[in-house]
Each structure stands twice: as C-alpha cells, then as structure tokens.
Amino acid sequence: MRIVALVSGTGSNLQAVIDAVADGRLDVEIAAVGADRPGTGGVERAAGAGIETFVVDFGDYADRAAWTHALTQKCLAYAPDYVLSSGFMRIVGEEFIEAFDGTYLNTHPALLPAFPGAHGVRDALAYGVKVTGCTVHVADAGVDTGPILAQRAVAVREDDTEETLHERIKIEERALLLEVLAGLAAGA
Ligand code: GRF
C-alpha cells in the first residue's frame, strides 16, 4: 500500500507512521510527503528519514482552484493508494476530492461530527465536554466530514489547557492512525 502524506505542521503523527514503517510494524510505503508551505517540521522529518518531499505553496497560486490543481497533479504522480492528511490544515478543492474519492484520509483531534474545524481541541474545551478524542475518517468536500473509520475517546481533566489536552489526544491519535493504516494495508 502506497501513501502520500500531506502536512502543514510539526508532523508528529507523520513521525509515528515513519517510525512504524521503519521498524517493520506497518507494511506501508510512504511514497512522498508534501506540504502547503515551506519550512514545515513534517517535511523536515520526512527528508531526514530519506523520504521524497515536495511543497505546493498555497501562496504561489492565484486561487484555491489553481493550487488544488497543482497539488492534485503532484499527488497523482506518485499513484498512491491513499493520501493522508496528517495535520494538513488546508481545504482542498473539488478536483482533489474527485481525484482521490474515497482514498483521502484525515485525522482530527475531536470526536466528529463534534467540533470540526481548525480548533477542535479548543472548541471542545470551551464547550465544557468531559470526553473528547480523535477521529480518522475518509475526507469528502466538507470541513472534517466524511465516513468515520475509527475513533478513540480521551477524558478531559479539570486543569486541562488546550495544549495539555491536545498532547494527550495526539498520543491516542497516533495509535489510532497506525491501527487504521494497518487495517487498510491488510485489506480491511
Ligand atoms: C493533529 O492533532 C491533527 O489532527 C490536527 O493537528 C495536529 C497535527 O499535529 N489537525 P502534527 O503536525 O502531526 O504534530
């Protein structure tokens, strides 16, 4: 199973995948790692692991459609079985969703459909929920929508800040992501 991973940030989820592949726990080939801007930790981690990387910088394109077209072409060139949004904080246009219909995966740090969007952890905390968690799902054209593949719950503590809660969620998120990828690689 070949995947292309897309990142915008530090790439700790991606690192978990890289490590699992490297030590033989996950039978997946990471064909490439791409980002929507230069200088992401995710691309640095991938390059450090000898994985091919690319940047399709949102700022270099006239509009979302033009950027989406470039990103779609770039990803298609690797012929991936799945494209993984691993903290990819950019809404992709219709062309991308159509090209990777049913094979674009996303991880989100909340129990969808609750708290979609860029601030899922902050929003859950502000609402006052006692349990939140993480979701791995097939992404469609919406914001954090599409069929849910797996979820894990995380209890909110009285003294949690957005940072402490997000760190605990990310521990579960990484494990969940590996579980889902292993399942898909095994043909589930
Ligand atoms: C993850 O919690 C992801 O779900 C969210 O941002 C975080 C990315 O972290 N969208 P990292 O870049 O994998 O460290």
Side-chain angles (χ1 to χ4, degrees):
M1 182 172 107
R2 281 164 69 78
I3 65 167
V4 168
L6 300 177
V7 295
S8 298
T10 57
S12 64
N13 281 332
L14 172 67
Q15 187 70 57
V17 179
I18 292 173
D19 291 347
V21 171
D23 61 24
R25 279 177 292 131
L26 184 62
D27 189 16
V28 163
E29 181 195 345
I30 306 172
V33 171
D36 59 328
R37 60 188 179 85
T40 59
V43 158
E44 264 170 44
R45 288 175 194 265
I51 297 165
E52 207 172 306
T53 65
F54 63 86
V55 175
V56 182
D57 191 345
F58 192 81
D60 286 347
Y61 295 86
D63 53 28
R64 186 174 306 277
W67 172 78
T68 294
H69 180 67
L71 181 71
T72 305
Q73 294 307 311
K74 194 79 199 170
C75 291
L76 280 173
Y78 293 101
D81 296 299
Y82 292 94
V83 177
L84 170 66
S85 158
S86 185
F88 191 54
M89 304 302 281
R90 196 72 73 171
I91 306 292
V92 293
E94 201 61 47
E95 182 183 348
F96 186 95
I97 296 296
E98 278 168 17
F100 297 105
D101 185 27
T103 63
Y104 183 36
L105 309 177
N106 183 41
T107 71
H108 183 73
L111 292 175
L112 293 172
F115 310 115
H119 304 293
V121 179
R122 188 188 307 172
D123 294 345
L125 201 54
Y127 196 93
V129 296
K130 303 304 175 203
V131 175
T132 182
C134 50
T135 303
V136 177
H137 67 104
V138 177
D140 63 17
V143 176
D144 299 320
T145 57
I148 290 172
L149 297 177
Q151 295 185 303
R152 279 196 186 194
V154 173
V156 179
R157 293 179 186 158
E158 284 289 320
D159 59 350
D160 260 331
T161 62
E162 183 180 352
E163 288 69 33
T164 59
L165 180 55
H166 200 169
E167 276 315 307
R168 285 207 317 291
I169 290 173
K170 279 169 98 171
I171 292 169
E172 299 303 325
E173 197 178 4
R174 292 193 276 267
L176 187 69
L177 180 58
L178 295 184
E179 232 175 67
V180 168
L181 289 175
L184 293 171

